[in-house]
């Protein structure tokens, strides 16, 4: 693994993001969804992690007034367990701070303990459940918030 670089997502990153998306999620977003996010959604902020020039992970959020909603974070399976998710989440929190965000939220699968521990490490706490949130298996989502960003 070379030097990991974090930068804003652009259209050219989407083919590699789609590989990660399809390997990471039972119900992946479409390439068109990412294109719309990058080109047309003024609330969207996306960051990619690159090893040399290869996209190895990404994260996205929507800025809504003074809050941020994390939409997705994923790391290529070959790079998991190497701290890439930490780097992405840390960059997203810094981006939120620069935009004067005071709170961040997200949903995470009840069984995704690795992601839950990552979010807790950065000050997110569980505040509720969205029953049957995930359409692939009706799994509940845990709602997490981080205040005082």
């Amino acid at each position: 693994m070379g030097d990991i670089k974090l930068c804003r997502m652009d259209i050219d990153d989407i083919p590699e993001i789609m590989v990660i998306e399809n390997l990471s999620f039972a119900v992946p977003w479409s390439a068109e969804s990412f294109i719309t996010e990058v080109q047309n959604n003024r609330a969207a902020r996306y960051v990619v992690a690159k090893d040399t020039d290869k996209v190895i992970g990404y994260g996205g959020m929507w800025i809504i007034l003074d809050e941020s909603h994390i939409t997705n974070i994923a790391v290529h399976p070959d790079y998991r367990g190497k701290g890439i998710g930490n780097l992405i989440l840390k960059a997203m929190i810094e981006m939120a701070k620069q935009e004067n965000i005071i709170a961040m939220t997200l949903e995470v699968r009840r069984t995704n303990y690795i992601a839950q521990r990552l979010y807790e490490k950065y000050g997110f706490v569980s505040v509720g459940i969205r029953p049957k949130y995930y359409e692939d298996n009706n799994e509940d989502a845990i709602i997490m918030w981080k205040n005082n960003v």
Side-chain angles (χ1 to χ4, degrees):
M1 193 161 71
D3 289 329
I4 304 303
K5 177 177 69 171
L6 294 166
C7 54
R8 289 202 181 240
M9 180 190 295
D10 69 29
I11 293 295
D12 295 336
D13 297 323
I14 293 175
E16 290 178 283
I17 285 164
M18 289 310 303
V19 171
I20 299 167
E21 181 77 4
N22 287 306
L23 290 169
S24 300
F25 298 108
V27 183
W29 284 17
S30 66
E32 293 77 22
S33 294
F34 282 105
I35 291 167
T36 298
E37 288 291 281
V38 172
Q39 288 186 330
N40 301 324
N41 186 350
R42 295 182 60 193
R45 307 290 186 277
Y46 282 82
V47 62
V48 294
K50 294 184 177 185
D51 182 3
T52 312
D53 287 328
K54 178 184 178 185
V55 175
I56 59 171
Y58 62 92
M61 64 183 168
W62 295 330
I63 303 296
I64 303 158
L65 301 174
D66 59 357
E67 296 177 352
S68 161
H69 183 113
I70 295 177
T71 56
N72 43 22
I73 296 178
V75 175
H76 191 285
D78 294 346
Y79 290 85
R80 291 181 187 156
K82 301 178 189 305
I84 308 303
N86 274 288
L87 293 173
I88 293 168
L89 183 55
K90 200 170 165 182
M92 293 171 70
I93 292 168
E94 284 305 311
M95 196 181 299
K97 283 180 183 177
Q98 291 171 6
E99 299 209 32
N100 299 312
I101 298 305
I102 61 169
M104 299 176 80
T105 188
L106 57 87
E107 292 90 11
V108 60
R109 284 182 186 268
R110 185 186 287 275
T111 57
N112 192 344
Y113 305 113
I114 292 170
Q116 290 171 41
R117 282 194 302 273
L118 172 65
Y119 300 134
E120 288 167 355
K121 177 180 172 181
Y122 286 93
F124 286 83
V125 295
S126 292
V127 297
I129 301 290
R130 291 198 197 284
K132 300 179 181 178
Y133 182 77
Y134 293 97
E135 60 187 61
D136 63 312
N137 64 357
N138 287 321
E139 184 174 354
D140 294 347
I142 296 174
I143 304 164
M144 300 183 83
W145 278 90
K146 173 183 175 61
N147 293 310
N148 304 314
V149 174

PDB file of all heavy atoms in Angstrom, residues 104-130:
ATOM      1  N   MET A 104     -23.927  15.538  13.284  1.00  0.00           N
ATOM      2  CA  MET A 104     -23.902  14.605  12.163  1.00  0.00           C
ATOM      3  C   MET A 104     -24.732  13.379  12.539  1.00  0.00           C
ATOM      4  O   MET A 104     -24.764  12.984  13.708  1.00  0.00           O
ATOM      5  CB  MET A 104     -22.466  14.161  11.855  1.00  0.00           C
ATOM      6  CG  MET A 104     -21.555  15.311  11.468  1.00  0.00           C
ATOM      7  SD  MET A 104     -19.840  14.787  11.208  1.00  0.00           S
ATOM      8  CE  MET A 104     -19.961  14.115   9.540  1.00  0.00           C
ATOM      9  N   THR A 105     -25.377  12.782  11.540  1.00  0.00           N
ATOM     10  CA  THR A 105     -26.191  11.599  11.785  1.00  0.00           C
ATOM     11  C   THR A 105     -25.958  10.570  10.684  1.00  0.00           C
ATOM     12  O   THR A 105     -25.437  10.892   9.609  1.00  0.00           O
ATOM     13  CB  THR A 105     -27.690  11.958  11.894  1.00  0.00           C
ATOM     14  OG1 THR A 105     -28.414  10.797  12.319  1.00  0.00           O
ATOM     15  CG2 THR A 105     -28.258  12.460  10.582  1.00  0.00           C
ATOM     16  N   LEU A 106     -26.394   9.338  10.966  1.00  0.00           N
ATOM     17  CA  LEU A 106     -26.295   8.256   9.994  1.00  0.00           C
ATOM     18  C   LEU A 106     -27.155   7.093  10.465  1.00  0.00           C
ATOM     19  O   LEU A 106     -27.605   7.065  11.615  1.00  0.00           O
ATOM     20  CB  LEU A 106     -24.834   7.795   9.844  1.00  0.00           C
ATOM     21  CG  LEU A 106     -24.120   7.325  11.116  1.00  0.00           C
ATOM     22  CD1 LEU A 106     -24.338   5.849  11.398  1.00  0.00           C
ATOM     23  CD2 LEU A 106     -22.647   7.622  11.016  1.00  0.00           C
ATOM     24  N   GLU A 107     -27.380   6.159   9.563  1.00  0.00           N
ATOM     25  CA  GLU A 107     -27.993   4.881   9.906  1.00  0.00           C
ATOM     26  C   GLU A 107     -26.973   3.790   9.603  1.00  0.00           C
ATOM     27  O   GLU A 107     -26.251   3.879   8.612  1.00  0.00           O
ATOM     28  CB  GLU A 107     -29.263   4.602   9.079  1.00  0.00           C
ATOM     29  CG  GLU A 107     -30.427   5.506   9.375  1.00  0.00           C
ATOM     30  CD  GLU A 107     -30.459   6.768   8.518  1.00  0.00           C
ATOM     31  OE1 GLU A 107     -29.679   6.855   7.538  1.00  0.00           O
ATOM     32  OE2 GLU A 107     -31.237   7.678   8.841  1.00  0.00           O
ATOM     33  N   VAL A 108     -26.953   2.775  10.446  1.00  0.00           N
ATOM     34  CA  VAL A 108     -26.039   1.650  10.254  1.00  0.00           C
ATOM     35  C   VAL A 108     -26.799   0.364  10.582  1.00  0.00           C
ATOM     36  O   VAL A 108     -27.646   0.347  11.477  1.00  0.00           O
ATOM     37  CB  VAL A 108     -24.766   1.808  11.125  1.00  0.00           C
ATOM     38  CG1 VAL A 108     -25.078   1.878  12.603  1.00  0.00           C
ATOM     39  CG2 VAL A 108     -23.744   0.724  10.827  1.00  0.00           C
ATOM     40  N   ARG A 109     -26.481  -0.686   9.834  1.00  0.00           N
ATOM     41  CA  ARG A 109     -27.142  -1.972  10.095  1.00  0.00           C
ATOM     42  C   ARG A 109     -26.893  -2.412  11.538  1.00  0.00           C
ATOM     43  O   ARG A 109     -25.804  -2.260  12.054  1.00  0.00           O
ATOM     44  CB  ARG A 109     -26.609  -3.052   9.153  1.00  0.00           C
ATOM     45  CG  ARG A 109     -27.141  -2.947   7.744  1.00  0.00           C
ATOM     46  CD  ARG A 109     -26.603  -4.090   6.873  1.00  0.00           C
ATOM     47  NE  ARG A 109     -27.002  -3.912   5.498  1.00  0.00           N
ATOM     48  CZ  ARG A 109     -28.116  -4.429   4.958  1.00  0.00           C
ATOM     49  NH1 ARG A 109     -28.908  -5.189   5.686  1.00  0.00           N
ATOM     50  NH2 ARG A 109     -28.406  -4.193   3.706  1.00  0.00           N
ATOM     51  N   ARG A 110     -27.929  -2.994  12.107  1.00  0.00           N
ATOM     52  CA  ARG A 110     -27.836  -3.495  13.485  1.00  0.00           C
ATOM     53  C   ARG A 110     -26.678  -4.489  13.629  1.00  0.00           C
ATOM     54  O   ARG A 110     -26.032  -4.547  14.677  1.00  0.00           O
ATOM     55  CB  ARG A 110     -29.154  -4.154  13.891  1.00  0.00           C
ATOM     56  CG  ARG A 110     -29.182  -4.603  15.343  1.00  0.00           C
ATOM     57  CD  ARG A 110     -30.440  -5.382  15.676  1.00  0.00           C
ATOM     58  NE  ARG A 110     -31.631  -4.585  15.769  1.00  0.00           N
ATOM     59  CZ  ARG A 110     -32.029  -3.937  16.862  1.00  0.00           C
ATOM     60  NH1 ARG A 110     -31.298  -3.976  17.956  1.00  0.00           N
ATOM     61  NH2 ARG A 110     -33.139  -3.248  16.871  1.00  0.00           N
ATOM     62  N   THR A 111     -26.387  -5.254  12.575  1.00  0.00           N
ATOM     63  CA  THR A 111     -25.343  -6.285  12.642  1.00  0.00           C
ATOM     64  C   THR A 111     -23.970  -5.806  12.171  1.00  0.00           C
ATOM     65  O   THR A 111     -23.023  -6.582  12.169  1.00  0.00           O
ATOM     66  CB  THR A 111     -25.743  -7.512  11.810  1.00  0.00           C
ATOM     67  OG1 THR A 111     -25.985  -7.102  10.459  1.00  0.00           O
ATOM     68  CG2 THR A 111     -26.983  -8.185  12.377  1.00  0.00           C
ATOM     69  N   ASN A 112     -23.852  -4.539  11.775  1.00  0.00           N
ATOM     70  CA  ASN A 112     -22.558  -4.037  11.295  1.00  0.00           C
ATOM     71  C   ASN A 112     -21.766  -3.476  12.479  1.00  0.00           C
ATOM     72  O   ASN A 112     -21.605  -2.275  12.639  1.00  0.00           O
ATOM     73  CB  ASN A 112     -22.752  -2.993  10.199  1.00  0.00           C
ATOM     74  CG  ASN A 112     -21.458  -2.663   9.486  1.00  0.00           C
ATOM     75  OD1 ASN A 112     -20.368  -2.976   9.965  1.00  0.00           O
ATOM     76  ND2 ASN A 112     -21.579  -2.016   8.345  1.00  0.00           N
ATOM     77  N   TYR A 113     -21.231  -4.397  13.281  1.00  0.00           N
ATOM     78  CA  TYR A 113     -20.540  -4.014  14.511  1.00  0.00           C
ATOM     79  C   TYR A 113     -19.239  -3.267  14.235  1.00  0.00           C
ATOM     80  O   TYR A 113     -18.867  -2.375  14.992  1.00  0.00           O
ATOM     81  CB  TYR A 113     -20.281  -5.248  15.373  1.00  0.00           C
ATOM     82  CG  TYR A 113     -21.545  -6.021  15.660  1.00  0.00           C
ATOM     83  CD1 TYR A 113     -21.738  -7.290  15.132  1.00  0.00           C
ATOM     84  CD2 TYR A 113     -22.563  -5.463  16.427  1.00  0.00           C
ATOM     85  CE1 TYR A 113     -22.912  -7.991  15.372  1.00  0.00           C
ATOM     86  CE2 TYR A 113     -23.743  -6.167  16.676  1.00  0.00           C
ATOM     87  CZ  TYR A 113     -23.907  -7.424  16.144  1.00  0.00           C
ATOM     88  OH  TYR A 113     -25.071  -8.105  16.374  1.00  0.00           O
ATOM     89  N   ILE A 114     -18.560  -3.617  13.165  1.00  0.00           N
ATOM     90  CA  ILE A 114     -17.302  -2.936  12.831  1.00  0.00           C
ATOM     91  C   ILE A 114     -17.566  -1.457  12.568  1.00  0.00           C
ATOM     92  O   ILE A 114     -16.875  -0.588  13.089  1.00  0.00           O
ATOM     93  CB  ILE A 114     -16.603  -3.617  11.632  1.00  0.00           C
ATOM     94  CG1 ILE A 114     -16.116  -5.010  12.053  1.00  0.00           C
ATOM     95  CG2 ILE A 114     -15.457  -2.772  11.103  1.00  0.00           C
ATOM     96  CD1 ILE A 114     -15.617  -5.872  10.918  1.00  0.00           C
ATOM     97  N   ALA A 115     -18.593  -1.166  11.755  1.00  0.00           N
ATOM     98  CA  ALA A 115     -18.933   0.231  11.463  1.00  0.00           C
ATOM     99  C   ALA A 115     -19.397   0.947  12.732  1.00  0.00           C
ATOM    100  O   ALA A 115     -19.011   2.091  12.986  1.00  0.00           O
ATOM    101  CB  ALA A 115     -20.006   0.306  10.384  1.00  0.00           C
ATOM    102  N   GLN A 116     -20.202   0.285  13.544  1.00  0.00           N
ATOM    103  CA  GLN A 116     -20.676   0.910  14.783  1.00  0.00           C
ATOM    104  C   GLN A 116     -19.508   1.306  15.676  1.00  0.00           C
ATOM    105  O   GLN A 116     -19.501   2.408  16.241  1.00  0.00           O
ATOM    106  CB  GLN A 116     -21.611  -0.042  15.535  1.00  0.00           C
ATOM    107  CG  GLN A 116     -22.941  -0.251  14.838  1.00  0.00           C
ATOM    108  CD  GLN A 116     -23.745  -1.356  15.484  1.00  0.00           C
ATOM    109  OE1 GLN A 116     -23.792  -1.477  16.706  1.00  0.00           O
ATOM    110  NE2 GLN A 116     -24.381  -2.182  14.666  1.00  0.00           N
ATOM    111  N   ARG A 117     -18.515   0.437  15.808  1.00  0.00           N
ATOM    112  CA  ARG A 117     -17.343   0.755  16.636  1.00  0.00           C
ATOM    113  C   ARG A 117     -16.566   1.936  16.055  1.00  0.00           C
ATOM    114  O   ARG A 117     -16.070   2.780  16.803  1.00  0.00           O
ATOM    115  CB  ARG A 117     -16.434  -0.471  16.780  1.00  0.00           C
ATOM    116  CG  ARG A 117     -16.972  -1.470  17.797  1.00  0.00           C
ATOM    117  CD  ARG A 117     -15.944  -2.497  18.209  1.00  0.00           C
ATOM    118  NE  ARG A 117     -15.405  -3.274  17.109  1.00  0.00           N
ATOM    119  CZ  ARG A 117     -15.935  -4.395  16.618  1.00  0.00           C
ATOM    120  NH1 ARG A 117     -17.052  -4.870  17.144  1.00  0.00           N
ATOM    121  NH2 ARG A 117     -15.366  -5.037  15.630  1.00  0.00           N
ATOM    122  N   LEU A 118     -16.458   1.986  14.723  1.00  0.00           N
ATOM    123  CA  LEU A 118     -15.784   3.118  14.084  1.00  0.00           C
ATOM    124  C   LEU A 118     -16.506   4.423  14.424  1.00  0.00           C
ATOM    125  O   LEU A 118     -15.885   5.397  14.845  1.00  0.00           O
ATOM    126  CB  LEU A 118     -15.717   2.926  12.566  1.00  0.00           C
ATOM    127  CG  LEU A 118     -15.213   4.123  11.755  1.00  0.00           C
ATOM    128  CD1 LEU A 118     -13.748   4.423  12.087  1.00  0.00           C
ATOM    129  CD2 LEU A 118     -15.387   3.858  10.265  1.00  0.00           C
ATOM    130  N   TYR A 119     -17.820   4.438  14.259  1.00  0.00           N
ATOM    131  CA  TYR A 119     -18.584   5.653  14.532  1.00  0.00           C
ATOM    132  C   TYR A 119     -18.485   6.041  16.011  1.00  0.00           C
ATOM    133  O   TYR A 119     -18.328   7.220  16.341  1.00  0.00           O
ATOM    134  CB  TYR A 119     -20.039   5.481  14.112  1.00  0.00           C
ATOM    135  CG  TYR A 119     -20.200   5.187  12.635  1.00  0.00           C
ATOM    136  CD1 TYR A 119     -21.050   4.175  12.197  1.00  0.00           C
ATOM    137  CD2 TYR A 119     -19.488   5.898  11.672  1.00  0.00           C
ATOM    138  CE1 TYR A 119     -21.188   3.894  10.845  1.00  0.00           C
ATOM    139  CE2 TYR A 119     -19.618   5.616  10.331  1.00  0.00           C
ATOM    140  CZ  TYR A 119     -20.469   4.613   9.918  1.00  0.00           C
ATOM    141  OH  TYR A 119     -20.596   4.334   8.589  1.00  0.00           O
ATOM    142  N   GLU A 120     -18.566   5.061  16.901  1.00  0.00           N
ATOM    143  CA  GLU A 120     -18.458   5.344  18.328  1.00  0.00           C
ATOM    144  C   GLU A 120     -17.097   5.950  18.664  1.00  0.00           C
ATOM    145  O   GLU A 120     -17.005   6.852  19.504  1.00  0.00           O
ATOM    146  CB  GLU A 120     -18.691   4.067  19.139  1.00  0.00           C
ATOM    147  CG  GLU A 120     -20.146   3.632  19.132  1.00  0.00           C
ATOM    148  CD  GLU A 120     -20.367   2.215  19.653  1.00  0.00           C
ATOM    149  OE1 GLU A 120     -19.372   1.501  19.942  1.00  0.00           O
ATOM    150  OE2 GLU A 120     -21.547   1.821  19.750  1.00  0.00           O
ATOM    151  N   LYS A 121     -16.052   5.474  18.004  1.00  0.00           N
ATOM    152  CA  LYS A 121     -14.701   5.993  18.221  1.00  0.00           C
ATOM    153  C   LYS A 121     -14.643   7.500  17.957  1.00  0.00           C
ATOM    154  O   LYS A 121     -13.887   8.224  18.588  1.00  0.00           O
ATOM    155  CB  LYS A 121     -13.732   5.255  17.296  1.00  0.00           C
ATOM    156  CG  LYS A 121     -12.303   5.712  17.341  1.00  0.00           C
ATOM    157  CD  LYS A 121     -11.458   4.886  16.385  1.00  0.00           C
ATOM    158  CE  LYS A 121     -10.062   5.431  16.258  1.00  0.00           C
ATOM    159  NZ  LYS A 121      -9.256   4.642  15.326  1.00  0.00           N
ATOM    160  N   TYR A 122     -15.470   7.981  17.036  1.00  0.00           N
ATOM    161  CA  TYR A 122     -15.485   9.401  16.679  1.00  0.00           C
ATOM    162  C   TYR A 122     -16.635  10.160  17.332  1.00  0.00           C
ATOM    163  O   TYR A 122     -16.985  11.252  16.899  1.00  0.00           O
ATOM    164  CB  TYR A 122     -15.501   9.561  15.157  1.00  0.00           C
ATOM    165  CG  TYR A 122     -14.139   9.249  14.582  1.00  0.00           C
ATOM    166  CD1 TYR A 122     -13.834   7.971  14.133  1.00  0.00           C
ATOM    167  CD2 TYR A 122     -13.133  10.210  14.543  1.00  0.00           C
ATOM    168  CE1 TYR A 122     -12.571   7.665  13.647  1.00  0.00           C
ATOM    169  CE2 TYR A 122     -11.873   9.914  14.059  1.00  0.00           C
ATOM    170  CZ  TYR A 122     -11.601   8.644  13.610  1.00  0.00           C
ATOM    171  OH  TYR A 122     -10.341   8.333  13.144  1.00  0.00           O
ATOM    172  N   GLY A 123     -17.235   9.579  18.361  1.00  0.00           N
ATOM    173  CA  GLY A 123     -18.211  10.304  19.166  1.00  0.00           C
ATOM    174  C   GLY A 123     -19.665  10.142  18.766  1.00  0.00           C
ATOM    175  O   GLY A 123     -20.533  10.826  19.315  1.00  0.00           O
ATOM    176  N   PHE A 124     -19.970   9.253  17.842  1.00  0.00           N
ATOM    177  CA  PHE A 124     -21.364   8.985  17.496  1.00  0.00           C
ATOM    178  C   PHE A 124     -21.976   8.091  18.572  1.00  0.00           C
ATOM    179  O   PHE A 124     -21.310   7.183  19.081  1.00  0.00           O
ATOM    180  CB  PHE A 124     -21.461   8.278  16.137  1.00  0.00           C
ATOM    181  CG  PHE A 124     -21.203   9.167  14.955  1.00  0.00           C
ATOM    182  CD1 PHE A 124     -19.909   9.434  14.536  1.00  0.00           C
ATOM    183  CD2 PHE A 124     -22.252   9.728  14.237  1.00  0.00           C
ATOM    184  CE1 PHE A 124     -19.655  10.242  13.441  1.00  0.00           C
ATOM    185  CE2 PHE A 124     -22.014  10.541  13.137  1.00  0.00           C
ATOM    186  CZ  PHE A 124     -20.711  10.800  12.742  1.00  0.00           C
ATOM    187  N   VAL A 125     -23.234   8.358  18.905  1.00  0.00           N
ATOM    188  CA  VAL A 125     -23.951   7.537  19.883  1.00  0.00           C
ATOM    189  C   VAL A 125     -25.280   7.073  19.287  1.00  0.00           C
ATOM    190  O   VAL A 125     -25.900   7.779  18.483  1.00  0.00           O
ATOM    191  CB  VAL A 125     -24.201   8.293  21.212  1.00  0.00           C
ATOM    192  CG1 VAL A 125     -22.900   8.609  21.918  1.00  0.00           C
ATOM    193  CG2 VAL A 125     -25.006   9.556  20.985  1.00  0.00           C
ATOM    194  N   SER A 126     -25.717   5.892  19.709  1.00  0.00           N
ATOM    195  CA  SER A 126     -27.004   5.347  19.266  1.00  0.00           C
ATOM    196  C   SER A 126     -28.125   6.114  19.939  1.00  0.00           C
ATOM    197  O   SER A 126     -28.090   6.318  21.155  1.00  0.00           O
ATOM    198  CB  SER A 126     -27.123   3.874  19.649  1.00  0.00           C
ATOM    199  OG  SER A 126     -26.219   3.115  18.928  1.00  0.00           O
ATOM    200  N   VAL A 127     -29.110   6.524  19.131  1.00  0.00           N
ATOM    201  CA  VAL A 127     -30.241   7.259  19.700  1.00  0.00           C
ATOM    202  C   VAL A 127     -31.586   6.630  19.348  1.00  0.00           C
ATOM    203  O   VAL A 127     -32.614   7.068  19.858  1.00  0.00           O
ATOM    204  CB  VAL A 127     -30.240   8.746  19.261  1.00  0.00           C
ATOM    205  CG1 VAL A 127     -28.993   9.453  19.771  1.00  0.00           C
ATOM    206  CG2 VAL A 127     -30.369   8.878  17.759  1.00  0.00           C
ATOM    207  N   GLY A 128     -31.587   5.623  18.493  1.00  0.00           N
ATOM    208  CA  GLY A 128     -32.856   5.011  18.130  1.00  0.00           C
ATOM    209  C   GLY A 128     -32.680   3.939  17.074  1.00  0.00           C
ATOM    210  O   GLY A 128     -31.569   3.647  16.633  1.00  0.00           O
ATOM    211  N   ILE A 129     -33.820   3.376  16.684  1.00  0.00           N
ATOM    212  CA  ILE A 129     -33.858   2.293  15.702  1.00  0.00           C
ATOM    213  C   ILE A 129     -34.842   2.664  14.592  1.00  0.00           C
ATOM    214  O   ILE A 129     -35.905   3.223  14.864  1.00  0.00           O
ATOM    215  CB  ILE A 129     -34.351   0.975  16.362  1.00  0.00           C
ATOM    216  CG1 ILE A 129     -33.439   0.564  17.518  1.00  0.00           C
ATOM    217  CG2 ILE A 129     -34.511  -0.151  15.345  1.00  0.00           C
ATOM    218  CD1 ILE A 129     -32.072   0.100  17.129  1.00  0.00           C
ATOM    219  N   ARG A 130     -34.470   2.366  13.360  1.00  0.00           N
ATOM    220  CA  ARG A 130     -35.413   2.423  12.242  1.00  0.00           C
ATOM    221  C   ARG A 130     -35.751   0.967  11.907  1.00  0.00           C
ATOM    222  O   ARG A 130     -34.947   0.274  11.287  1.00  0.00           O
ATOM    223  CB  ARG A 130     -34.809   3.108  11.026  1.00  0.00           C
ATOM    224  CG  ARG A 130     -34.573   4.587  11.207  1.00  0.00           C
ATOM    225  CD  ARG A 130     -34.405   5.291   9.865  1.00  0.00           C
ATOM    226  NE  ARG A 130     -33.792   6.589  10.028  1.00  0.00           N
ATOM    227  CZ  ARG A 130     -34.408   7.682  10.484  1.00  0.00           C
ATOM    228  NH1 ARG A 130     -35.670   7.620  10.827  1.00  0.00           N
ATOM    229  NH2 ARG A 130     -33.759   8.820  10.603  1.00  0.00           N
TER     230      ARG A 130
END
